[in-house]
Structures are given as structure tokens and as C-alpha cells.
Amino acid sequence: MRVLMIAPPGAGKGTQGARIAARLGVPHLATGDLLRRHVALGTSLGRAVQEHLDRGDLVPDGVMQDLVRRSLADATADGGGYVLDGYPRTPAQAWAAYRIAASLDATAHIALHLRVDDDEVVRRLLARSAIEHRTDDTEPVIRRRLALYHRVTEPILQWYRYRGILLSVDGMPEPDRVTSTVVSALRYRRPCPDPVPLAA
Ligand code: ADP
């Protein structure tokens, strides 16, 4: 199965994405993790994106497209599925994700949306900052990421709803409950045929 994950920062994309990918037996491709790995390794890509990550800004589209194209090509090389977490985040990325996946004959079956309140997101990320020390988990940067999510990411849910592949799940309960809700919902959703996009 091929799944896209769309959720505000702190909603549990990373935790749930890893668990769901393991249950489905497919790779978990988390764009934030891929970018942070480049930063940690000091690659030229890492140096180019570090400031964007630290400020909570989006990394430029061209960089993201290359990264996602390579990851999806690897994941689907032998007909495999994927859980793509953190992409798309804008209408332009939604369209790019569709084009990249269509070129690999591997468009998403499900767009999984986790719903979590803003106050809960801020609480979770501030709690995480005490443990993980991510450079973007300070309150001003969290607020900026959240505002960006509402402004540019949330609107793309409509496209997936229209295509009939949106699965929207309450992300507020404790992690095990969210996982079992998602896993049982996926079990009852048979992968549907390639959905028709809005425009050519
Ligand atoms: P969160 O969802 O909590 O913000 P992620 O680990 O998914 O955490 O992303 C961290 C950062 O990585 C983002 O704030 C952004 O700078 C960058 N990033 C990840 N995915 C994308 C994307 N699709 N487009 C642009 N930038 C991205």
C-alpha cells in the first residue's frame, strides 16, 4: 500500500508513520528525517537547507522534488509501497508528488491526515524539545511552522478528499490508540485504482 501523511508539526507523523510503515511492510520515508540526516552529515544539500530548517521555513521546491523523486524511485523499484511523511506540504508539492508518483506508476492509495489541536501541538513539541533538542522546537519557530501548516498545507486536504483517498483520523488520543484506529481503517480500505487528477 502507498500512503501519504499530512499533519501539523507535532501531530505524531514520525511516530505513527514508522509504526504504520512497519505494519504494512513498506519503507517510512520522512522528508524531515532525510533533510536532518543531510545536515548532520554536512553534505552540500545539508548545508543548503540548514537555515530553512532552523527557521521553520519550507525547503525550496526543487530540492524537495529531487529528494522525493529519488526516495520514491528506490522504494517502488520492485513494486513496493511506501509511507511518505512530510511531503507534500503545499499545493505545488501536491501536484509534484502526483506527477513523480505517476511517472513511477505508484500514486498514493491513501492520504492520511492526523487531526490535532494547536494547543496540543505546541505542548507536545515543547515537551519534545527538552529531550531531542531539535533546532526548530522553540516556541517562536513552532508557531511559525504551525501557521505555515494552516496557511499552505491544510488546503491540499481538499484535493485528496475530492479524489476520494483522504483518511482523516483523530490524532489527539494516546499513540497506541491512534495506531490501531489507523491500522484498522487501512485494513478496510482496499487500494483503489489510480485516481484521476484535477488537471492535466
Ligand atoms: P514537522 O512536521 O514537525 O515540522 P518535519 O520533520 O516533517 O517536522 O520537518 C522539519 C522541517 O523540514 C520543516 O520545518 C521544513 O523546514 C523541512 N521540510 C520537511 N518536509 C518538507 C517539505 N515537503 N517541503 C519543504 N520543507 C520541508
Side-chain angles (χ1 to χ4, degrees):
M1 183 170 288
R2 303 186 291 265
V3 179
L4 303 176
M5 290 188 76
I6 298 160
K13 284 195 305 296
T15 306
Q16 299 300 334
R19 293 178 180 195
I20 293 158
R23 295 284 191 99
L24 296 174
V26 300
H28 173 220
L29 312 172
T31 52
D33 290 348
L34 294 171
L35 293 166
R36 281 186 291 276
R37 198 166 310 141
H38 275 279
V39 171
L41 292 172
T43 65
S44 58
L45 191 153
R47 289 195 299 277
V49 302
Q50 176 156 25
E51 274 189 23
H52 295 86
L53 264 70
D54 290 350
R55 283 196 306 257
D57 285 341
L58 293 179
V59 166
D61 277 349
V63 175
M64 292 310 302
Q65 266 183 51
D66 289 345
L67 194 70
V68 168
R69 186 176 293 110
R70 276 199 304 272
S71 305
L72 280 193
D74 287 348
T76 57
D78 45 12
Y82 55 79
V83 171
L84 179 58
D85 147 6
Y87 192 93
R89 286 189 197 229
T90 66
Q93 290 187 3
W95 184 236
Y98 184 85
R99 271 191 289 103
I100 293 169
S103 74
L104 299 165
D105 202 17
T107 53
H109 298 118
I110 296 283
L112 172 61
H113 170 221
L114 300 177
R115 301 186 308 270
V116 177
D117 298 348
D118 286 6
D119 288 347
E120 174 66 7
V121 157
V122 175
R123 196 192 60 72
R124 289 184 190 179
L125 291 178
L126 289 177
R128 179 173 80 183
S129 71
I131 303 163
E132 287 188 19
H133 308 295
R134 251 174 70 166
T135 52
D136 57 351
D137 281 347
T138 60
E139 186 150 1
V141 178
I142 291 169
R143 299 262 173 217
R144 188 181 171 82
R145 285 154 61 207
L146 200 48
L148 204 55
Y149 173 79
H150 288 306
R151 190 157 47 84
V152 302
T153 307
E154 237 172 5
I156 70 180
L157 294 173
Q158 193 56 30
W159 192 46
Y160 297 107
R161 189 173 292 120
Y162 181 88
R163 284 165 56 186
I165 63 168
L166 184 69
L167 173 63
S168 186
V169 169
D170 182 6
M172 294 289 282
E174 47 97 18
D176 287 352
R177 258 190 59 206
V178 177
T179 309
S180 58
T181 305
V182 172
V183 168
S184 33
L186 290 179
R187 193 169 299 138
Y188 291 106
R189 290 253 187 151
R190 287 153 59 84
C192 44
D194 197 14
V196 180
L198 276 182

